[in-house]
Amino acid sequence: MKLLNKLAAVAIAAIALFTACTEPAPTSYTVTGILPDSSLNGQTIYITQYDNRARIDTTIIEGNKFTFDGVADSASLCFIYVNRNTQAFILENGNIAIDLNENKVSGTTNNQIITEIAIYEDSVYQEIINTASEDTRKAIIDAGKAKFNEWFAQHNNNEVGYYLLRTEIFDNLFDTDEKIAIYEKCGSALAENNSVKSELKRATALKATAVGQHCVDFQGTDIDGNLVKLSDYVGKGNYVVIDMWASWCGPCKREIPNLAEIHNLYNDKGVTVLGVFVWDDVKNLKPTMEAEKVTWAQIIDSEKCATDLYGVNSIPAIMLIGPDGTILERGNSMRGENMKKTIEKHLQK
């Protein structure tokens, strides 16, 4: 009898363990958050998907708190925007808690992981900021890359992987070739994400138009409506400063005095300034040129392809093209006071 009793007890324990391990997965979500004060009570907030900016849930802040309730057909990387604070999280069925004071998310396994990633990311940047040693900085960067790759190997086909691809670690620590290699490791589901496909396309364009590559031609219209191409200006034995800009862009306008100085000083010394008017209505070009005293030639990107070809996702985007059409400089070396110094450096070669 004692043996039978022991066997029965083992069986009961096994059944209990099996029942616990096979507890049904949650079929709905609850997302809660607490705010530090009552200043936002009554404000409407939204859960928004990162991939397509679709608003998929809404609620009102009451009593310094907010709660979203609903059903998620599948997990998706989302964010809420509250009081100028954007908090990313993975919306999935289960109980999710958002701490806007600490920028932390908890409750489900995936959200615990992205909080761990966010904390690590902050620590990496603090270490980089606080070191003056190039060797130490390189070691920190290499460690950051290794940790990213470790995480991505485990999550290359889910929303945690998508979150990793949106981190500052990925954006700033990896070069273009490394990014492309990581994108190519995405599983089939993540590779079909619209944002991932767009960023891979951009990385490929950046590689094709990196410093040292020959410029890629495109066409548009001039201020009088005539068809013109980039190749009408570059590869003619002169240096060309290309400025992709728009009338609504404040930083673009702040670069105009620097471009005007280049135009006035070097136009007769083999340097041509060329504007490329992007992401704007053509009717805004002439009045803006008059108001800002822009006198150099413009290509209106009427087919909206110049920024795509050069992997540009923010303006102004200014680059220097050499006499043979080779891209010599792009990025910070062609902004502000650096612009004149950079051009003088190349003219003295």
Side-chain angles (χ1 to χ4, degrees):
M1 290 292 293
K2 290 183 179 180
L3 178 59
L4 289 176
N5 287 340
K6 286 182 179 180
L7 290 173
V10 170
I12 291 170
I15 292 170
L17 179 61
F18 177 78
T19 301
C21 291
T22 58
E23 184 177 340
T27 57
S28 62
Y29 65 78
T30 299
V31 180
T32 59
I34 300 175
L35 300 173
D37 56 54
S38 61
S39 61
L40 298 175
N41 285 345
Q43 179 175 316
T44 300
I45 58 173
Y46 306 90
I47 294 177
T48 305
Q49 284 184 316
Y50 264 108
D51 188 22
N52 56 16
R53 292 301 191 267
R55 289 176 174 177
I56 60 177
D57 204 349
T58 180
T59 193
I60 296 174
I61 299 172
E62 296 178 342
N64 307 355
K65 301 177 182 179
F66 61 84
T67 301
F68 296 92
D69 291 298
V71 176
D73 294 331
S74 59
S76 60
L77 183 63
C78 296
F79 67 90
I80 58 171
Y81 182 75
V82 182
N83 198 25
R84 300 181 182 180
N85 182 13
T86 300
Q87 179 59 55
F89 68 102
I90 294 177
L91 182 65
E92 57 189 348
N93 292 327
N95 295 318
I96 301 168
I98 296 178
D99 185 339
L100 290 171
N101 295 318
E102 298 292 332
N103 292 324
K104 293 180 180 178
V105 187
S106 59
T108 65
T109 300
N110 283 335
N111 282 299
Q112 293 287 150
I113 294 171
I114 70 169
T115 293
E116 180 185 348
I117 293 168
I119 292 171
Y120 178 78
E121 183 176 38
D122 287 343
S123 70
V124 167
Y125 276 95
Q126 285 302 316
E127 289 179 8
I128 290 173
I129 290 170
N130 293 328
T131 182
S133 166
E134 286 298 325
D135 289 341
T136 303
R137 185 177 292 108
K138 184 180 183 305
I140 295 168
I141 291 172
D142 288 344
K145 288 180 178 181
K147 188 64 176 176
F148 177 98
N149 287 326
E150 177 186 330
W151 271 316
F152 196 73
Q154 300 171 29
H155 301 284
N156 71 331
N157 202 32
N158 61 25
E159 294 300 293
V160 174
Y162 182 31
Y163 176 81
L164 281 163
L165 293 176
R166 300 189 65 88
T167 59
E168 293 292 326
I169 286 180
F170 179 70
D171 194 38
N172 294 327
L173 299 192
F174 292 92
D175 64 28
T176 301
D177 286 341
E178 291 170 329
K179 288 178 181 177
I180 291 173
I182 289 168
Y183 281 126
E184 290 174 345
K185 294 176 182 177
C186 288
S188 57
L190 187 55
E192 285 302 309
N193 179 292
N194 289 331
S195 178
V196 172
K197 288 195 289 187
S198 177
E199 287 302 315
L200 174 56
K201 180 180 177 182
R202 176 174 176 261
T204 303
L206 284 170
K207 181 177 181 178
T209 58
V211 171
Q213 299 296 319
H214 195 277
C215 64
V216 178
D217 202 11
F218 59 86
Q219 70 177 18
T221 55
D222 64 17
I223 199 166
D224 297 316
N226 301 310
L227 185 66
V228 288
K229 296 181 179 180
L230 178 63
S231 55
D232 294 333
Y233 296 90
V234 302
K236 308 297 184 182
N238 58 318
Y239 291 89
V240 180
V241 176
I242 298 176
D243 171 39
M244 297 186 187
W245 71 295
S247 67
W248 48 262
C249 171
C252 297
K253 292 180 179 178
R254 288 195 288 273
E255 293 293 351
I256 289 176
N258 299 314
L259 293 162
E261 182 180 17
I262 299 301
H263 177 69
N264 295 332
L265 286 175
Y266 303 116
N267 188 47
D268 296 330
K269 299 178 181 179
V271 179
T272 301
V273 177
L274 174 66
V276 180
F277 198 61
V278 301
W279 303 341
D280 208 336
D281 193 317
V282 63
K283 69 181 182 182
N284 296 326
L285 178 56
K286 283 187 178 180
T288 305
M289 289 181 66
E290 292 172 0
E292 301 294 332
K293 297 180 174 55
V294 173
T295 58
W296 44 94
Q298 301 288 320
I299 295 178
I300 301 165
D301 186 22
S302 51
E303 297 188 5
K304 298 179 172 55
C305 64
T307 50
D308 285 346
L309 288 171
Y310 283 81
V312 171
N313 65 353
S314 64
I315 53 176
I318 306 173
M319 60 191 76
L320 178 64
I321 310 297
D324 63 351
T326 300
I327 299 171
L328 300 178
E329 303 279 351
R330 61 180 300 179
N332 290 335
S333 63
M334 292 298 291
R335 294 292 298 273
E337 295 179 358
N338 290 333
M339 192 185 305
K340 182 180 177 182
K341 296 176 182 177
T342 298
I343 290 171
E344 289 180 341
K345 176 188 71 176
H346 284 280
L347 289 176
Q348 290 170 5
K349 290 183 177 179

